[in-house]
Amino acid sequence: MKLSELQAAVSSDLLQNQLELLYGAEHVKAQKKRYLKLISRAMELYGDREADLFSAPGRTEVGGNHTDHQLGRVLAASIDLDAAAVVIPEEKPVITYHSDAFEVKPVDLEDLSRKAEEVNTTESLIRGIAARYHELGYGIGGFSCYAESDVLPGSGMSSSAAFEILIAEILNELYNDGKVSPEEQAKAGQFAENVYFGKASGLMDQMACSVGGFITIDFHHKDAPAVERVPFDFDHSGFRIILTDCRASHADLSDEYSRIPSEMKAAAGVFGEKVLSRVSLGEFLKKTQEVRKQCGDRAWLRAYHFLKETERVQDEVRALEGNCMESFLKLVIDSGNSSFEYLQNVYASSDPQHQSLSIGLALSQQLLEGRGAWRVHGGGFAGTIQAFVPEGLVETYVNAMEEAFGAGACYCLRIRNAGGYRLI
């Protein structure tokens, strides 16, 4: 369809089912306005040309806090906040990505080599994904697009992974007839981030964004992680997932983040292993003195967190599959307590005067104890906390949290049962 025809399609009910799938019936009207704005901006840039609409979601971590880098288990889900794009196929092998939020230089696909000057840039992610597709024998080609994202950066909702899956899905649909699996798209995104962007990362973010819905991942086999969908209809659970941005700064936290995997790996080294997933809880407990002596007490606590948390993920999956919200909520609270007490990623030990996440968790416990669940979300130290809030308490909870952290601090999420997606 031409852009003018896309405008008519969005304005009518032609995309009603697609929009309900991605955003829920209550948000269709708002999403129509959003996509019409995207199309209008694309017409300003490119004229009335043949185009398609694409979307890729952010994600929320539900269980498995800091387990992926030790090749453990995680529970995650894609959400209704996403990166959305109007895409125009091009004959020239150049990807041109326009966004009013940031500037991206055109990426020429005739040169897929890693560029030192592109490290830590958006261009490196685009080139890296295309390079991985080409290496695997998939088709690649040029396109122009205008895109916007409402996945909050630095929130633990994986705005970078949403971008990567958006690019991967566009190339999948335009040049591969939809044959690239969600798992391969996720691996292409991780490859781009690790090799071209220059950031070491696990696969959880990309996989959660690409597969859609609730998923559990076991990273024990690093090159072939086991990914399973978890059949659970959260829309009818009686609860809402709410992330609260506690408005803490991520500045100068790199060392805090890096010490978690390094201390866990040091503990694994006591057993002659590189990661803790190769160590059993029984073995670990028997060598408590050795681990404390060689690695320190905090390393022991963080390793203990991992070993309990990676097993807890399995219990959470069983609770969801059995439709037992009471058990699931208790496990979420146990996960949050373990992160606070043992993993110790709720505030920086170097800056105990600033504890926004701690306050957010305390307020959540005050509001939800006996009725919901709460935990730190994602990497920790700054960013967001996660709460499972009964539908009847949503307004009360949001009002209280935004009174503490400011207007717009809360994000009421819906679990989206689709990963990267071509609307039309």
Side-chain angles (χ1 to χ4, degrees):
M1 288 186 178
K2 287 191 172 183
L3 287 168
S4 57
E5 294 172 320
L6 281 178
Q7 283 182 321
V10 172
S11 298
S12 70
D13 293 331
L14 187 62
L15 299 182
Q16 184 75 18
N17 291 339
Q18 293 94 319
L19 293 172
E20 286 188 11
L21 170 68
L22 300 185
Y23 308 106
E26 68 273 24
H27 297 303
V28 167
K29 184 177 180 180
Q31 289 298 326
K32 282 186 175 184
K33 290 183 179 179
R34 180 189 182 208
Y35 277 97
L36 287 172
K37 178 184 174 185
L38 287 171
I39 294 168
S40 177
R41 185 74 176 95
M43 288 187 72
E44 292 176 8
L45 291 167
Y46 310 119
D48 192 11
R49 298 177 60 191
E50 294 287 330
D52 303 280
L53 300 180
F54 285 86
S55 163
R59 65 90 176 146
T60 183
E61 170 205 285
V62 179
N65 194 215
H66 277 280
T67 54
D68 59 332
H69 50 71
Q70 298 301 298
L71 303 185
R73 302 180 186 91
V74 299
L75 175 63
S78 55
I79 58 176
D80 56 345
L81 300 181
D82 67 342
V86 181
V87 179
I88 297 170
E90 300 283 7
E91 291 185 7
K92 292 183 179 180
V94 176
I95 294 177
T96 304
Y97 187 99
H98 283 284
S99 173
D100 289 343
F102 54 93
E103 184 177 350
V104 183
K105 297 176 183 177
V107 176
D108 189 339
L109 302 184
E110 289 189 340
D111 182 0
L112 295 175
S113 62
R114 181 179 179 273
K115 309 290 183 185
E117 64 272 20
E118 287 184 351
V119 170
N120 292 320
T121 68
T122 303
E123 292 84 359
S124 70
L125 295 175
I126 296 172
R127 196 182 305 276
I129 292 168
R132 184 60 173 168
Y133 271 34
H134 182 70
E135 181 180 312
L136 294 172
Y138 293 122
I140 59 173
F143 62 83
S144 297
C145 75
Y146 176 75
E148 290 182 356
S149 176
D150 56 11
V151 184
L152 180 69
S155 63
M157 291 187 271
S158 299
S159 58
S160 59
F163 172 84
E164 291 159 19
I165 298 306
L166 180 67
I167 298 299
E169 176 64 4
I170 293 170
L171 290 174
N172 175 39
E173 290 290 341
L174 294 188
Y175 297 105
N176 294 281
D177 297 321
K179 295 177 182 177
V180 186
S181 70
E183 291 79 10
E184 286 295 345
Q185 291 184 46
K187 291 176 183 178
Q190 183 197 29
F191 172 84
E193 196 163 311
N194 290 175
V195 178
Y196 279 63
F197 188 86
K199 175 186 175 183
S201 67
L203 190 59
M204 178 183 71
D205 294 349
Q206 292 87 352
M207 198 70 78
C209 293
S210 66
V211 175
F214 277 102
I215 63 168
T216 183
I217 312 171
D218 186 344
F219 291 102
H220 188 85
H221 299 290
K222 184 178 181 180
D223 295 329
V227 182
E228 294 183 16
R229 293 180 184 267
V230 180
F232 182 73
D233 182 6
F234 193 80
D235 282 349
H236 295 93
S237 68
F239 288 82
R240 296 292 301 273
I241 297 178
I242 298 179
L243 298 188
T244 300
D245 180 2
C246 295
R247 307 283 168 87
S249 173
H250 285 80
D252 302 322
L253 290 174
S254 295
D255 287 345
E256 296 284 356
Y257 289 121
S258 63
R259 286 186 189 118
I260 292 177
S262 66
E263 289 179 11
M264 287 186 180
K265 288 178 181 179
V270 175
F271 301 86
E273 301 290 353
K274 294 183 178 180
V275 290
L276 282 167
S277 60
R278 275 48 175 172
V279 180
S280 71
L281 180 60
E283 291 174 318
F284 175 76
L285 294 174
K286 287 178 182 178
K287 288 194 173 184
T288 291
Q289 289 189 19
E290 290 95 323
V291 174
R292 293 181 65 191
K293 183 177 180 180
Q294 294 183 39
C295 309
D297 288 354
R298 188 171 67 176
W300 187 95
L301 290 166
R302 285 175 163 170
Y304 179 74
H305 162 82
F306 167 82
L307 292 168
K308 297 290 285 186
E309 182 79 346
T310 193
E311 291 300 319
R312 188 179 293 115
V313 167
Q314 292 182 303
D315 295 332
E316 290 177 324
V317 170
R318 283 190 286 267
L320 290 178
E321 289 176 337
N323 201 33
C324 186
M325 279 301 292
E326 183 178 353
S327 297
F328 173 73
L329 294 173
K330 181 182 182 304
L331 290 163
V332 170
I333 293 171
D334 290 345
S335 171
N337 288 341
S338 182
S339 293
F340 205 154
E341 297 169 12
Y342 307 135
L343 183 61
Q344 299 180 24
N345 68 331
V346 172
Y347 65 91
S349 59
S350 59
D351 187 21
Q353 294 303 311
H354 295 94
Q355 297 195 36
S356 293
L357 297 187
S358 304
I359 292 172
L361 292 168
L363 290 173
S364 295
Q365 181 175 358
Q366 179 68 26
L367 292 161
L368 299 175
E369 192 162 27
R371 295 181 284 185
W374 54 94
R375 64 189 289 273
V376 65
H377 182 250
F381 299 112
T384 58
I385 62 168
Q386 180 188 69
F388 290 80
V389 182
E391 290 179 348
L393 280 178
V394 167
E395 184 176 356
T396 299
Y397 181 82
V398 169
N399 287 342
M401 298 304 281
E402 293 197 342
E403 183 177 349
F405 298 108
C410 291
Y411 296 84
C412 297
L413 305 180
R414 175 180 175 272
I415 301 303
R416 161 173 158 163
N417 290 312
Y421 194 80
R422 182 184 194 172
L423 284 83
I424 192 170

